[in-house]
Amino acid sequence: MAKKILTEYINVPGIETFDAYRKQGGYTAAEKALKTMTPDEVVEEAKKSGVRGRGGAGFPMGMKWGFLAKPEGVPRYLVCNADESEPGTFKDHYLMKSIPHLLIEGMIIGSYALGAKKSFIYVRGELMYVIHILEKAIAEATAQGFLGKNILGTGYDLELVVQPGGGAYICGEETALLESLEGKRGNPRNKPPFPAVKGLYQSPTVVNNVESIANMPWIINNGSDAYAAIGIGRSTGTKLISASGHIQKPGVYEIELGVSVEEFLNSDEYCGGVRKGHHLKALVAGGSSVPILPANLIMKTANGEDRLMSYESLSDGGFATGTMLGSGGFIVFDETACIVRNTWNFARFYHHESCGQCSPCREGTGWMEKVLHRIEHGHGSMHDVDLLVDISKKIEGNTICPLGDAAAWPVASAIRHFRDEFIWHITNPYEASQPGAVYQGEMALV
Amino acid sequence: MTQWTLFGMEETKPQLIKITFDGIEVEVAPGTTIMEAARKIAEADESQAALVPPAMCYYKPLPTSGGKCRACLVKVAQGSAKDPRPMPKLIPSCITQVQEGMVVENITNQGVLDTRKSIVEFLLINHPLDCPICDQAGECHLQDFAFEHGSAKTRYEEDRRTFDKIDIGPHIQLHMTRCILCYRCVYTADQITDKRVHGVMNRGDASEISTYIEKAIDNDFSGNVIDVCPVGALTDKTYRFKNRVWFTKPEDAHRDCDKCCGKTTLWYRGDEVIRVTARKNTWGEVNDFICNTCRFEKKKTTDWVLEGPTKVKRSSVISANKYRADLIKKPDFALKLAATQFKPIDDTRDYVTDQETIRHQSIEDNDKANHRSLAAKNN
Ligand SMILES: Cc1cc2nc3c(=O)[nH]c(=O)nc-3n(C[C@H](O)[C@H](O)[C@H](O)COP(=O)(O)O)c2cc1C
Ligand code: SF4
Ligand code: FES
């Protein structure tokens, strides 16, 4: 059995209550940090553990904490990003509803390390029941003296606020999240200034993903060295993977970073393989934003090495032959899946979710969706394929926030690896637009 | 010359920062944006006007504007003297502050010009090409931007979004179909009132400028949204369809006004004042906001003290040379630029049917003919 850091106790009955969580050793890390460590020592532990942000970008968490500006007399904030709306990613939801105290303990440790007196958990608005679970857990922790004034007699005060989100994917982008938290329209801000200097209410702020923060109790209890020993290379620790699509056992799995894609997909401990009688055609390894890869390239890198579930291995080969770990949304397609239809579906999502501030994303996402819609419905023409690639290139890198990139990459990668399938749609418009029609031409199935 | 003091009283003459913009060195105060540094170059030497990045959303009189349209993206080839690495992405010049030793490439960088061309394309996707019936034509920043940086044909074959026209109070009309979502009018509303009832609703290309819902911006200065709007989305109902702007004669005038500065431009057709606007600078930005009384109600010459013909500082592509030529600051530079940027179309795509090939052929021939006549006109 692989090492479990976040989900070890997740199936203990009643673990959502303070008592059950405490019985499993919960809140000992908060006690240890507040009573025996200085804030800087906690930051140092986060740095040494090598834990990287689990929200998508994979930025080292300790380093981010180290960048926080600390001007005199200005409050600092820790904000937990629980807006999780990326198609294919549903791990934070699972963690928060099952074991809310783990996140709360992580927030206490993180807030202490950063010197925040007030911290926020910004939860995706659709998850109202999770918000109630978190609020109940916060009330329990407050009653037990782990939150509020003078925590555990250490003189440290912390108020933890749960904020329901605005119900938009864009509110997961950290600066849009801060705008939304301030009560405004969730439009991303131009950077610089970065949140570490001017974040919430123009004060220094750290935004971290739920899973990133939930690692802290284990790191404090077991030490950063023990954490860094798990995983592979610069991908330390474990990662929650949301597995979905054409597999035997969809669900959330905690893996040690560095297991092979092959093992994750096929072993009974995890996905249990592609559904019976079918073959792997394509895979999105890190949530809808990351490039899609065909079966052969996701199993082995271009150099013929085994592809591992780690930041480095998945991005091996750049975008030409690689992808990204992203937020860990593992979406599996077998040979019955139509790549054009799926690409259109993703494009539709990004079009719907673009905030509309900057012109490349506002207009480009809609344009790509319409062209893809046309191709899928048998009205495409040959130059549409290159047009799509060109639009995606003109969006990428030119937008205020990375939503533009996230919209461009799936389209560009689908055409990069499945061009024949797009062309088949264009040259066989009638056949391709029939319900359930799928390209049957040559492709590498595994 | 004005000097900013950033660090309190003791520092009377702040250290100037030197940057290189398209090969030209310029010194500016700390905190200046790349855009303002470029404008400084052009203000010192008018012949350099073409190197100022276009701004479709940035509007200096409106703090926090900018950063949205991406028309002004430039390449920073060297971040600063201290950290000479180039910046990995193109950056918006209107909101990025200069650093000592920064090297910026604008029209000297092909990548920047290519990106700009795509920004025109994006902005025009959902913009109606109804210039022939639009009041803004002739002073429309998008029209100029498209002439200077756009391409002559569209690759967009889908439907455009449309909206119904909305009246914002008795004098202003919002034609959302033409809006490019620059947010300038929203920031204007922020500036003229504490309780803004004017903002953006919905998301993405379904976003809409709204006045919760169609409620008039009930404010003495609301008319200024017409002046800040770069396109014909917000227009003056008292002037609708009265004339083409290049057939009107602008005159500077003032009056004693207890609400605003009273300094305006009157736009004449014959003896009749058909429109009153605020005065604008070289960059098409208003110098001072004016009140609705001056703008909508004072339409008689006797209401005003005339100062003489307006020096048109920012003439657009189609109105250039239509005003009094000696008073125009920037004659048809846009047109020249458009002509110099002409490239024969190099299109090697495979077309599906003969018919399509023929259609594209005829479009291209037209383009070439148009460009030739433009080029001829400017030589
Ligand atoms: C469009 C968009 C949506 C995002 N959505 C989320 C999200 O739902 N949850 C999340 O943790 N991070 C999301 N991110 C990433 C955040 O901006 C930010 O990088 C992250 O919360 C930082 O936390 P981490 O360093 O712990 O990963 C999103 C980014 C973008 C551009
Ligand atoms: S109405 Fe005009 S000023 Fe307002 S956002 Fe649209 S284009 Fe800009
Ligand atoms: S003018 Fe700079 S982004 Fe619009």
Side-chain angles (χ1 to χ4, degrees):
Chain A
M1 266 306 252
K3 188 84 208 156
K4 299 273 184 273
I5 288 180
L6 303 166
T7 58
E8 187 170 3
Y9 302 113
I10 210 155
N11 291 323
V12 172
I15 194 71
E16 70 280 5
T17 63
F18 180 88
D19 292 340
Y21 180 72
R22 185 78 170 138
K23 212 181 276 166
Q24 302 298 337
Y27 287 105
T28 49
E31 271 179 307
K32 181 175 170 191
L34 265 61
K35 287 191 173 158
T36 67
M37 297 169 78
T38 66
D40 285 345
E41 281 167 358
V42 180
V43 173
E44 203 49 41
E45 282 292 282
K47 274 189 192 158
K48 282 202 300 198
S49 73
V51 58
R52 292 167 68 170
R54 305 294 196 225
F59 192 81
M61 182 158 87
M63 209 167 6
K64 192 189 257 187
W65 289 8
F67 286 150
L68 187 72
K70 296 186 172 159
E72 276 303 311
V74 179
R76 285 167 243 149
Y77 298 106
L78 173 63
V79 178
C80 172
N81 188 342
D83 193 55
E84 192 172 60
S85 331
E86 173 114 338
T89 308
F90 40 85
K91 63 187 175 79
D92 297 342
H93 178 180
Y94 173 64
L95 201 63
M96 288 187 293
K97 76 158 185 159
S98 312
I99 182 163
H101 286 284
L102 184 66
L103 174 61
I104 293 168
E105 188 176 4
M107 287 297 285
I108 297 170
I109 297 167
S111 305
Y112 174 71
L114 299 170
K117 298 259 155 38
K118 190 165 184 174
S119 295
F120 299 85
I121 307 177
Y122 183 95
V123 187
R124 173 175 180 163
E126 289 88 337
L127 303 182
M128 216 53 213
Y129 84 102
V130 176
I131 292 168
H132 294 316
I133 291 173
L134 282 171
E135 277 174 343
K136 202 164 148 221
I138 287 174
E140 283 179 312
T142 311
Q144 299 290 337
F146 283 93
L147 282 171
K149 291 253 174 281
N150 192 16
I151 297 171
L152 305 175
T154 59
Y156 175 61
D157 307 336
L158 175 65
E159 189 189 345
L160 195 52
V161 180
V162 182
Q163 172 66 40
Y169 173 61
I170 193 61
C171 290
E173 196 279 337
E174 55 186 6
T175 55
L177 186 154
L178 297 176
E179 287 281 297
S180 172
L181 197 50
E182 289 179 11
K184 301 186 207 144
R185 181 184 160 89
N187 276 355
R189 298 175 183 166
N190 271 294
K191 285 147 270 191
F194 290 94
V197 181
K198 281 190 174 161
L200 188 62
Y201 305 115
Q202 297 296 306
S203 303
T205 304
V206 166
V207 182
N208 271 131
N209 174 258
V210 174
E211 187 189 345
S212 319
I213 294 170
N215 277 304
M216 280 318 288
W218 197 95
I219 293 173
I220 295 299
N221 274 332
N222 299 276
S224 52
D225 292 339
Y227 190 89
I230 306 168
I232 179 168
R234 286 179 53 240
S235 301
T236 60
T238 65
K239 174 90 189 77
L240 294 179
I241 304 290
S242 323
S244 65
H246 297 140
I247 45 175
Q248 299 284 9
K249 298 194 301 165
V252 177
Y253 298 100
E254 182 168 10
I255 58 161
E256 269 187 47
L257 283 165
V259 299
S260 68
V261 173
E262 159 107 56
E263 182 187 346
F264 182 69
L265 179 64
N266 290 330
S267 82
D268 281 335
E269 193 183 343
Y270 304 117
C271 303
V274 176
R275 55 180 185 153
K276 284 252 154 24
H278 292 276
H279 297 281
L280 178 68
K281 175 178 180 182
L283 209 150
V284 173
S288 62
S289 305
V290 309
I292 188 170
L293 286 184
N296 54 343
L297 281 178
I298 187 69
M299 291 308 204
K300 300 248 187 249
T301 65
N303 301 331
E305 287 161 26
D306 277 347
R307 187 81 77 179
L308 311 180
M309 297 291 286
S310 73
Y311 292 95
E312 290 78 19
S313 178
L314 282 171
S315 55
D316 185 279
F319 278 3
T321 58
T323 178
M324 285 163 73
L325 179 59
S327 56
F330 193 85
I331 313 172
V332 180
F333 302 91
D334 69 19
E335 79 288 349
T336 63
C338 171
I339 298 297
V340 176
R341 191 171 184 81
N342 175 66
T343 310
W344 168 49
N345 191 29
F346 282 172
R348 190 167 53 168
F349 172 79
Y350 289 107
H351 174 209
H352 187 250
E353 297 297 336
S354 166
C355 82
Q357 267 190 113
C358 60
S359 16
C361 176
R362 178 182 68 236
E363 308 296 348
T365 51
W367 192 3
M368 289 198 300
E369 193 221 313
K370 285 178 187 150
V371 175
L372 283 161
H373 177 273
R374 225 159 13 87
I375 298 177
E376 163 67 13
H377 290 85
H379 304 291
S381 32
M382 243 8 166
H383 59 244
D384 282 342
V385 181
D386 289 331
L387 176 64
L388 281 172
V389 175
D390 192 53
I391 303 172
S392 75
K393 271 201 211 125
K394 296 295 166 45
I395 300 175
E396 188 183 345
N398 291 332
T399 53
I400 296 178
C401 87
L403 191 139
D405 304 340
W409 293 340
V411 176
S413 59
I415 296 177
R416 190 179 307 129
H417 299 299
F418 297 93
R419 186 178 271 265
D420 289 350
E421 196 164 334
F422 282 82
I423 295 193
W424 176 76
H425 271 257
I426 292 162
T427 49
N428 300 280
Y430 179 74
E431 205 182 325
S433 58
Q434 297 307 305
V438 181
Y439 174 62
Q440 301 293 347
E442 212 171 289
M443 56 188 150
L445 297 177
V446 174
Chain B
M1 187 154 156
T2 48
Q3 294 276 5
W4 300 14
T5 12
L6 274 188
F7 308 106
M9 298 308 286
E10 69 270 47
E11 192 114 29
T12 44
K13 196 166 179 277
Q15 197 81 48
L16 289 182
I17 287 183
K18 193 191 270 178
I19 73 160
T20 311
F21 187 96
D22 272 347
I24 301 174
E25 283 192 352
V26 59
E27 285 194 335
V28 288
T32 306
T33 59
I34 297 174
M35 171 78 81
E36 289 301 329
R39 286 181 175 185
K40 193 175 164 188
I41 297 175
E43 275 159 13
D45 176 3
E46 271 178 44
S47 68
Q48 302 289 6
L51 62 69
V52 178
M56 298 305 298
C57 68
Y58 170 71
Y59 203 74
K60 197 174 178 205
L62 300 171
T64 70
S65 67
K68 298 196 190 316
C69 70
R70 318 307 272 183
C72 70
L73 291 178
V74 292
K75 174 81 192 166
V76 174
Q78 172 173 326
S80 67
K82 257 195 240 138
D83 181 359
R85 286 174 304 171
M87 294 192 183
K89 294 180 186 176
L90 302 184
I91 54 121
S93 56
C94 63
I95 51 165
T96 307
Q97 296 186 355
V98 295
Q99 307 284 337
E100 179 64 42
M102 195 182 242
V103 177
V104 185
E105 296 170 1
N106 182 34
I107 56 176
T108 50
N109 184 308
Q110 192 53 42
V112 170
L113 292 176
D114 289 347
T115 302
R116 207 159 277 165
K117 189 166 173 179
S118 65
I119 300 294
V120 177
E121 187 170 36
F122 286 134
L123 286 175
L124 290 181
I125 278 181
N126 275 315
H127 189 85
L129 300 181
D130 64 348
C131 310
I133 55 147
C134 175
D135 279 331
Q136 192 84 2
E139 51 186 23
C140 173
H141 290 210
L142 183 58
Q143 201 173 35
D144 292 351
F145 186 37
F147 258 91
E148 289 169 37
H149 296 283
S151 81
K153 69 179 176 206
T154 179
R155 299 188 292 172
Y156 185 72
E157 299 170 19
E158 335 308 313
D159 290 341
R160 289 163 205 269
R161 61 167 199 173
T162 51
F163 297 88
D164 291 335
K165 300 187 186 86
I166 297 172
D167 285 334
I168 305 181
H171 300 307
I172 308 172
Q173 186 175 69
L174 169 63
H175 194 6
M176 190 55 216
T177 307
R178 293 180 185 148
C179 171
I180 57 164
L181 287 162
C182 69
Y183 278 63
R184 284 181 187 173
C185 56
V186 179
Y187 295 130
T188 307
D190 270 341
Q191 210 167 83
I192 60 180
T193 158
D194 296 336
K195 282 193 245 126
R196 154 149 77 85
V197 286
H198 173 123
V200 176
M201 291 203 315
N202 298 335
R203 274 204 302 261
D205 55 12
S207 299
E208 231 181 296
I209 295 296
S210 137
T211 54
Y212 294 144
I213 303 272
E214 296 166 36
K215 196 166 140 196
I217 328 179
D218 187 13
N219 182 290
D220 270 342
F221 284 79
S222 61
N224 290 294
V225 297
I226 299 167
D227 281 344
V228 303
C229 184
V231 293
L234 288 162
T235 48
D236 180 344
K237 278 169 68 186
T238 65
Y239 170 69
R240 283 201 86 209
F241 302 143
K242 284 249 170 83
N243 213 324
R244 308 292 355 192
V245 59
W246 54 87
F247 294 135
T248 61
K249 294 239 162 350
E251 297 263 345
D252 285 344
H254 66 262
R255 63 181 278 271
D256 271 339
C257 178
D258 51 7
K259 288 192 224 148
C260 70
C261 63
K263 291 191 187 123
T264 63
T265 301
L266 309 182
W267 300 76
Y268 278 95
R269 177 178 60 193
D271 296 338
E272 190 192 351
V273 177
I274 55 171
R275 179 170 76 143
V276 181
T277 67
R279 293 188 196 169
K280 293 189 177 181
N281 66 15
T282 320
W283 314 110
E285 293 165 348
V286 299
N287 294 336
D288 290 295
F289 285 148
I290 59 168
C291 69
N292 285 0
T293 314
C294 286
R295 183 186 302 271
F296 298 120
E297 284 159 31
K298 302 293 172 191
K299 296 257 175 117
K300 287 199 289 292
T301 302
T302 49
D303 293 329
W304 298 94
V305 182
L306 294 185
E307 297 173 16
T310 304
K311 289 194 169 55
V312 180
K313 299 198 184 80
R314 185 186 195 284
S315 55
S316 76
V317 180
I318 48 177
S319 53
N321 291 338
K322 302 267 170 65
Y323 305 120
R324 261 184 63 185
D326 57 324
L327 294 176
I328 291 180
K329 195 166 172 196
K330 248 201 319 187
D332 65 358
F333 97 85
L335 208 60
K336 284 215 171 96
L337 203 69
T340 54
Q341 291 197 345
F342 165 64
K343 279 189 226 73
I345 288 154
D346 175 20
D347 195 343
T348 48
R349 291 178 306 199
D350 287 325
Y351 295 119
V352 192
T353 61
D354 283 342
Q355 212 129 40
E356 207 173 350
T357 314
I358 294 165
R359 185 160 67 92
H360 278 271
Q361 196 60 48
S362 70
I363 294 175
E364 284 168 20
D365 286 345
N366 269 341
D367 283 353
K368 284 180 194 158
N370 287 342
H371 276 289
R372 267 195 297 275
S373 68
L374 271 186
K377 214 162 153 184
N378 284 292
N379 283 334

